[in-house]
Amino acid sequence: MLDSNIKGLFKKVEYQIANLKGLFSKNEKQMLDNVNEFKKDNEEFKDSQKYVLSLHVEDNENPHNVTKEQVGLSDVENIKQAPLNEFNAHVLNTDIHVSKEKQTEWDKKETVEGAQQKANDVHSKSKAELDEHSRNTDIHVNIDEKEKWNYVYNSISKAKTWQSPTLLNGWKQYVPSDGSPQNLQFSKNVQGEVEIIGSMYGGTIGFDVAAFILPAEYRPLQTSHFIGVASSSGTPGIPQYHRTYIGVDGRVSIQYSSNTSNPSEFITFGFKFSTR
């Protein structure tokens, strides 16, 4: 009976041992799988960190924004340095550098005292010439003369007003195709000078035929004749002219035009005469 119980207990123990072995094998496999998975993850992590680290190492754009103050270089100026080969080329350039011998030679030709004396001499001469120039009243204008001349100029400018005459005997105001102003008009300044400018066309040409008549205060001291530009239409390439008569009665007549083809096509004025 005892042996039977012992055998039963022994089998139960063996069964439990077998179960424990099964559990151990299962746990051992799971542990090995976990270890392998951890190794794989660890290798992938190391590879990724190695790649990130290599990118960081190769980054020369100051990724941490380190300042020169942080590394103790706050007193260093930001000056671009020349490469060594360029610096050596500059040092060895004898065309732009002066040797000690040349400097000594040049120093012998002029001293600081000598240069100062020459500068003093030039200054004194210039001062004397300036003083002489300033005292020359023949070439300078004083304030009284300037005001007098300005008064005359301003008076002439203000007094000069333009009027348009009444055209007679078929004459009309000329208007060029390009639209440039050629208004026929006259004026008189304070010195009694009358000026006639502008253009007309289409009227009758004749010795006693008036194109227009000037007012009494705009008439010349004596009968006057003037030569002006006439149209060259009909005579290509040949400049044409007209002869104008201005009488003491104020009559302005176109007496003749050299353009026999189109004598009154274009008559322009640019005359000036005195009334006193």
Side-chain angles (χ1 to χ4, degrees):
M1 182 71 177
L2 181 61
D3 290 339
S4 176
N5 290 336
I6 291 174
K7 287 181 180 179
L9 180 62
F10 183 76
K11 287 183 178 181
K12 184 183 290 186
V13 170
E14 285 182 342
Y15 177 77
Q16 290 177 348
I17 290 173
N19 286 337
L20 289 174
K21 285 183 177 180
L23 290 174
F24 178 78
S25 296
K26 182 177 181 180
N27 289 336
E28 182 182 24
K29 181 178 183 304
Q30 184 174 0
M31 290 177 65
L32 289 175
D33 289 342
N34 291 339
V35 168
N36 290 333
E37 185 69 23
F38 174 78
K39 286 182 178 180
K40 179 182 178 182
D41 293 342
N42 184 56
E43 291 299 324
E44 291 178 352
F45 176 76
K46 287 195 297 181
D47 289 342
S48 65
Q49 291 303 304
K50 182 178 180 181
Y51 175 72
V52 172
L53 179 61
S54 65
L55 292 178
H56 182 75
V57 170
E58 294 172 1
D59 188 350
N60 55 9
E61 298 295 329
N62 192 14
H64 297 294
N65 295 320
V66 177
T67 65
K68 63 181 183 180
E69 287 78 8
Q70 292 173 329
V71 294
L73 299 176
S74 58
D75 294 331
V76 178
E77 296 183 0
N78 295 328
I79 300 175
K80 183 179 179 179
Q81 303 298 315
L84 180 60
N85 61 329
E86 293 182 6
F87 177 78
N88 290 336
H90 174 80
V91 171
L92 299 176
N93 190 337
T94 57
D95 293 332
I96 62 174
H97 293 102
V98 180
S99 65
K100 185 65 176 177
E101 293 76 12
K102 283 289 185 182
Q103 183 178 4
T104 302
E105 179 183 347
W106 293 346
D107 288 344
K108 291 179 181 178
K109 294 180 180 180
E110 184 62 276
T111 63
V112 175
E113 293 77 10
Q116 184 61 56
Q117 184 59 49
K118 291 178 180 178
N120 293 340
D121 293 343
V122 171
H123 175 74
S124 299
K125 184 178 179 180
S126 300
K127 181 66 168 60
E129 292 176 348
L130 176 61
D131 291 341
E132 181 181 358
H133 176 82
S134 300
R135 291 190 296 268
N136 191 338
T137 57
D138 292 334
I139 62 175
H140 292 103
V141 179
N142 60 43
I143 189 63
D144 293 334
E145 292 172 328
K146 183 177 180 181
E147 289 179 352
K148 179 175 64 178
W149 295 343
N150 285 341
Y151 172 77
V152 173
Y153 173 79
N154 292 333
S155 298
I156 293 173
S157 299
K158 291 178 181 177
K160 193 171 185 178
T161 57
W162 295 95
Q163 302 180 53
S164 297
T166 299
L167 297 178
L168 308 171
N169 296 305
W171 290 101
K172 296 178 284 296
Q173 170 66 53
Y174 177 77
V175 179
S177 59
D178 62 2
S180 59
Q182 294 195 25
N183 298 329
L184 182 60
Q185 51 192 337
F186 60 91
S187 68
K188 183 173 70 171
N189 60 30
V190 294
Q191 294 175 318
E193 293 178 329
V194 172
E195 184 176 7
I196 305 176
I197 61 174
S199 305
M200 63 182 186
Y201 78 102
T204 302
I205 294 176
F207 277 78
D208 297 320
V209 181
F212 57 92
I213 298 176
L214 292 170
E217 65 272 22
Y218 289 86
R219 296 170 183 176
L221 284 172
Q222 59 187 22
T223 297
S224 303
H225 291 84
F226 298 93
I227 297 295
V229 176
S231 172
S232 60
S233 176
T235 59
I238 304 176
Q240 301 296 315
Y241 63 91
H242 67 87
R243 184 180 70 213
T244 293
Y245 165 92
I246 303 178
V248 292
D249 59 354
R251 177 167 49 89
V252 179
S253 300
I254 308 303
Q255 293 184 328
Y256 171 79
S257 174
S258 65
N259 186 349
T260 57
S261 298
N262 294 284
S264 63
E265 176 68 20
F266 173 86
I267 298 295
T268 186
F269 295 90
F271 310 144
K272 182 182 289 187
F273 56 85
S274 180
T275 60
R276 61 177 182 231

